[in-house]
Amino acid sequence: MLNKLRSIRIQILILIAISAITWSTSLNSQFSGYDDVRLILENKALENSLLSSLDNFWNNYAFSYNSNWSNQLTVIFRPLEQYTAVFGFKIWGASPWHYHFFFNFLVHISNSVLLLLICRNLIKYQLTVFAAILIWAVHPLHSEAINMISSGTGFLLAHFFCFLAFCMILTSNKTESTAQNLKLLLASIFLFMSYLGSEMTLIAPLVLITIIYGSKQKLQLRKSILTISSLLI
């Protein structure tokens, strides 16, 4: 039984199934809070042409959702959040179910799988890694990010690209030089895209240093616990 649990395919299937069951109720959520309403329902720019909307969001760096509470504009530059909102609006309109499914539900599950792959590549204690990622995937701490559309189009999607970059870098040394250069190029692109979704991903280079160090030698148990903790945070 334990040998089967060590299989990456079994772990991924279990992770997807449990995560999907845990967060399935989020699909019934509507537009949650002021952020979602301002991003989609009250965002008249979404009704413009696609190119006009994208150009407007790229140049409008002081678009703040928090001015209603703080009574002052805060400089926030998250074009990825705006771009995904406009692409979704052009495809399915102001449908909260579709936004929750594609930008919250599926992205969070994808993030969980990517994080599992990263940690398995770095740490030799496979069952420990699986248990930690499983707890992380269903932890109530994610409730706001998964139930708020604005978090899915920005925060979750930014971390999705960040994790993709990590995977590219970790597997780049296992391929030929041409493929290695391509993976490093893709990693740079993914990291840049993550920066456009959340300023929190600016710490990614520091985390990458830890990952690159850990990939050169399988970590011992104490270091494994510290590394998993830092990645999950």
Side-chain angles (χ1 to χ4, degrees), residues 57-202:
F57 294 146
W58 181 261
N59 292 287
N60 189 1
Y61 62 88
F63 191 87
S64 172
Y65 302 125
N66 300 317
S67 58
N68 187 51
W69 299 319
S70 62
N71 294 320
Q72 59 182 355
L73 288 176
T74 57
V75 178
I76 297 177
F77 186 67
R78 297 173 183 170
L80 182 64
E81 186 177 86
Q82 304 287 338
Y83 291 169
T84 51
V86 69
F87 275 117
F89 188 84
K90 297 301 182 184
I91 297 173
W92 53 70
S95 169
W97 189 92
H98 288 89
Y99 275 105
H100 281 295
F101 181 74
F102 288 104
F103 292 135
N104 297 84
F105 186 77
L106 288 185
V107 174
H108 174 69
I109 293 177
S110 300
N111 286 346
S112 301
V113 173
L114 288 174
L115 195 56
L116 174 64
L117 296 176
I118 291 171
C119 290
R120 278 180 62 97
N121 189 291
L122 180 62
I123 300 167
K124 66 180 181 180
Y125 299 96
Q126 305 299 327
L127 291 180
T128 302
V129 168
F130 177 59
I133 301 302
L134 190 59
I135 294 173
W136 181 86
V138 301
H139 199 282
L141 184 66
H142 300 297
S143 294
E144 180 178 340
I146 296 175
N147 284 284
M148 291 189 66
I149 294 172
S150 55
S151 294
T153 58
F155 179 80
L156 292 181
L157 203 56
H159 284 76
F160 171 76
F161 287 121
C162 192
F163 291 155
L164 276 180
F166 288 1
C167 288
M168 292 293 102
I169 291 174
L170 283 175
T171 58
S172 64
N173 59 351
K174 300 178 181 179
T175 56
E176 299 178 357
S177 58
T178 302
Q180 183 179 26
N181 293 333
L182 178 59
K183 286 187 175 183
L184 292 177
L185 175 62
L186 288 174
S188 300
I189 295 173
F190 290 147
L191 278 177
F192 177 73
M193 294 180 69
S194 72
Y195 297 155
L196 299 181
S198 174
E199 59 278 4
M200 295 182 184
T201 57
L202 289 173

Side-chain angles (χ1 to χ4, degrees), residues 122-123 125 210 213 217-230:
L122 180 62
I123 300 167
Y125 299 96
T210 304
Y213 168 77
Q217 56 181 358
K218 290 295 183 179
L219 302 183
Q220 299 301 317
L221 181 59
R222 181 179 299 178
K223 291 184 179 179
S224 299
I225 295 174
L226 293 175
T227 304
I228 291 178
S229 301
S230 64

